[in-house]
Amino acid sequence: MGTFDNKTVIVTGASRGIGRAIAIDLARRGASVVVNYNASEAAAQEVVRAITDAGGKAIAFKADVSKADEAGALVKACIDTYGKLDILVNNAGTTRDTLLMSMSEADWDLVMHADLKSVFNCCKAAIRPMIRARGGRIVNIASVVGLSGQGGQTNYAAAKAGVIAFTKSLAKEVGSRNITVNCVAPGFIETDMTRALSEAQTTALMAQIPLGRLGQAADVAHAVA
């Protein structure tokens, strides 16, 4: 028996990186998973195969969760497929890094919608069925950058700080309904996003990390579980 037997989970942005690791880890622990993706259908289907080949349950579902109607459709798909929604992991997000004086309004808006509005959309869609079910778990993936700040990431840092404050506020709204809302704020994790950093940037980051290595996506998955 797994820890998450008979539990259903939505993981947004689950086709690669941290989201992929979370989806696979929760499925390994017994959960039935909805692997959400926006653009990377082949990668999402590969995550589903990795789960089902290991004996787990998973479906892939395309939704741009920065749009309210698509976030709602994602929640509906989980309930239609598995009968309920127990756990929501808001992981979807992106970066558009540049100094503020060079940042376009489009790059600001894109990160705000992908990283912060998506959390609002998915939580709003999930709360009502969780209240009806008398319980639920929401985990939002933030970032240490939302706590410490980072040059060249004013948009990303502001969005992730917003996720942290949103999490604390929603937790106070729904705690009495047996719904917990928490966030995990990873440090620098080895993903496609961080592989784009220059060698000098990576070396500078390593100097700040006591273990002397970047985190792995599996580290975050364990924290979420």
Side-chain angles (χ1 to χ4, degrees), residues 101-188:
M101 59 186 175
S102 304
M103 187 177 293
S104 68
E105 184 178 0
D107 281 349
W108 174 271
D109 289 346
L110 177 69
V111 171
M112 283 294 162
H113 280 79
D115 293 55
L116 182 55
K117 192 178 181 185
S118 62
V119 175
F120 162 77
N121 287 337
C122 291
C123 286
K124 187 171 182 183
I127 285 298
R128 200 175 298 276
M130 285 183 175
I131 288 173
R132 283 198 296 266
R134 295 186 171 85
R137 300 287 178 263
I138 296 172
V139 181
N140 299 323
I141 305 302
S143 169
V144 293
V145 169
L147 296 165
S148 65
Q150 180 72 17
Q153 289 193 313
T154 51
N155 48 4
Y156 182 74
K160 291 302 188 179
V163 169
I164 293 167
F166 176 98
T167 300
K168 292 176 178 180
S169 300
L170 183 59
K172 293 182 177 181
E173 290 185 15
V174 298
S176 64
R177 304 300 190 104
N178 193 35
I179 300 168
T180 62
V181 191
N182 291 284
C183 66
V184 173
F188 290 91

Side-chain angles (χ1 to χ4, degrees), residues 15-116:
S15 63
R16 59 197 178 97
I18 290 172
R20 180 185 191 278
I22 293 168
I24 290 173
D25 186 75
L26 293 179
R28 183 179 59 79
R29 296 170 190 263
S32 300
V33 181
V34 178
V35 176
N36 162 249
Y37 69 98
N38 184 24
S40 308
E41 181 177 8
Q45 292 295 351
E46 190 279 323
V47 176
V48 170
R49 278 194 301 275
I51 290 170
T52 55
D53 286 354
K57 293 181 181 178
I59 62 165
F61 191 85
K62 176 179 171 60
D64 177 354
V65 290
S66 71
K67 298 175 180 175
D69 57 341
E70 295 192 32
L74 173 62
V75 170
K76 184 177 185 299
C78 180
I79 295 170
D80 288 348
T81 302
Y82 297 128
K84 59 178 182 165
L85 169 59
D86 296 304
I87 302 161
L88 168 65
V89 181
N90 283 305
N91 168 75
T94 191
T95 55
R96 290 294 185 275
D97 296 351
T98 189
L99 297 176
L100 182 65
M101 59 186 175
S102 304
M103 187 177 293
S104 68
E105 184 178 0
D107 281 349
W108 174 271
D109 289 346
L110 177 69
V111 171
M112 283 294 162
H113 280 79
D115 293 55
L116 182 55

